[in-house]
Amino acid sequence: MRQSRRRATFELTLAGVSTALAVIFLVIAYYVNLAVLACYALAGISLCLPLYVDSLRSLVLAYVATSLLGFLFSNYLFMMPFILIFGLHIIVFALCKKFLKNKWYFAIPIKVVFVNIALYGVFAICGLDSIFQLMESVGVEGKYLYLALIGTPLFIAYDFLFQGVYSFFGRRLDRFFSKYRAPSKEKKELPQNGEDPFDFFAESDASTTIPSDEVKEETTEKKQEEENFDLFDDEKKN
């Protein structure tokens, strides 16, 4: 009981830290107007802290809190890309990670559908007329088509990079965060070879690890050599 309270408190703390970091990046993007897309991405990445303790509810709480606080410091047009794309992307990633078990061939189509729906939502709400001034003759549908064709591969590339960074820090902070995970979630299924192309920062020990069968053969050969050496010494003494 005490440990569960401690875990819940830590999850709430992570949600608060994630919210604070995300809001800081959004404020920088809105008031300083510097590297807006990068700040959107960093605000979204900041929300993933609760995922290191497998807390989806804390992630959702941080997402909702960041979205509400963002409206206090900016306007709805500025917040739409974060709410519909960069913030919601972390929740989609968490759901794919939990239910699809790193099966990237299922996750990628889901994320392609997600980003196209999100892009259309941003386009419908914000208009994005300033981006497509040179495409006025194409029409609204044409504008969205160009947005989808450009935005989808960029989003998939961003998703690859995000998952690599997430795995990089997750492996190094696992010893700390594992103390605050639920006992039933301690044991995780590691992705098999070829199942997770995103984890390109992972430190693979496969090349340096000797299979168990080879270890047994080596130990058996050493024992035989030692026995032969002992027999040779006994014969020499006799």
Side-chain angles (χ1 to χ4, degrees):
M1 187 69 177
R2 184 177 178 182
Q3 189 174 2
S4 62
R5 287 182 179 177
R6 180 187 176 192
R7 186 164 54 247
T9 302
F10 186 74
E11 290 176 3
L12 189 61
T13 303
L14 282 181
V17 173
S18 295
T19 302
L21 289 173
V23 170
I24 288 172
F25 286 120
L26 291 175
V27 169
I28 292 174
Y30 184 72
Y31 288 100
V32 182
N33 198 20
L34 178 66
V36 177
L37 285 178
C39 288
Y40 277 138
L42 289 173
I45 292 172
S46 300
L47 296 180
C48 73
L49 283 178
L51 292 182
Y52 289 123
V53 292
D54 300 324
S55 180
L56 184 59
R57 61 184 179 182
S58 296
L59 168 62
V60 174
L61 178 63
Y63 168 73
V64 173
T66 302
S67 301
L68 293 176
L69 288 173
F71 285 116
L72 296 178
F73 298 102
S74 61
N75 54 55
Y76 79 97
L77 289 176
F78 174 82
M79 287 299 300
M80 283 303 106
F82 172 79
I83 293 173
L84 295 178
I85 301 177
F86 293 95
L88 198 57
H89 162 247
I90 309 301
I91 296 178
V92 173
F93 162 72
L95 293 174
C96 291
K97 181 173 177 287
K98 181 177 181 179
F99 295 107
L100 299 181
K101 305 296 183 184
N102 291 317
K103 299 294 190 297
W104 60 270
Y105 38 84
F106 291 133
I108 288 181
I110 290 174
K111 290 172 182 176
V112 169
V113 173
F114 156 73
V115 72
N116 279 274
I117 294 174
L119 284 173
Y120 186 79
V122 173
F123 177 80
I125 295 172
C126 301
L128 299 179
D129 291 331
S130 60
I131 298 177
F132 298 105
Q133 287 178 353
L134 299 177
M135 302 178 184
E136 290 179 355
S137 60
V138 180
V140 175
E141 292 79 11
K143 291 180 180 179
Y144 170 71
L145 178 61
Y146 280 101
L147 179 64
L149 290 175
I150 296 172
T152 301
L154 288 177
F155 177 82
I156 295 301
Y158 162 72
D159 185 64
F160 267 77
L161 180 61
F162 163 74
Q163 293 196 51
V165 173
Y166 174 82
S167 298
F168 177 82
F169 286 105
R171 289 176 181 272
R172 281 149 184 79
L173 299 174
D174 183 71
R175 188 173 297 180
F176 171 73
F177 284 118
S178 61
K179 299 182 291 185
Y180 299 97
R181 294 194 191 106
S184 60
K185 298 176 183 177
E186 283 289 337
K187 294 182 180 179
K188 292 183 177 179
E189 288 187 16
L190 293 176
Q192 301 296 324
N193 291 336
E195 281 191 0
D196 189 2
F198 307 113
D199 195 7
F200 45 81
F201 285 117
E203 296 177 355
S204 174
D205 296 327
S207 60
T208 58
T209 304
I210 302 176
S212 58
D213 293 334
E214 292 183 10
V215 173
K216 289 180 181 178
E217 289 179 3
E218 286 187 3
T219 53
T220 304
E221 289 176 1
K222 286 183 179 179
K223 286 182 180 179
Q224 288 179 353
E225 288 178 1
E226 290 176 359
E227 289 176 359
N228 293 334
F229 185 78
D230 291 337
L231 287 173
F232 179 78
D233 280 348
D234 291 337
E235 290 177 0
K236 201 170 184 180
K237 288 179 181 178
N238 294 332

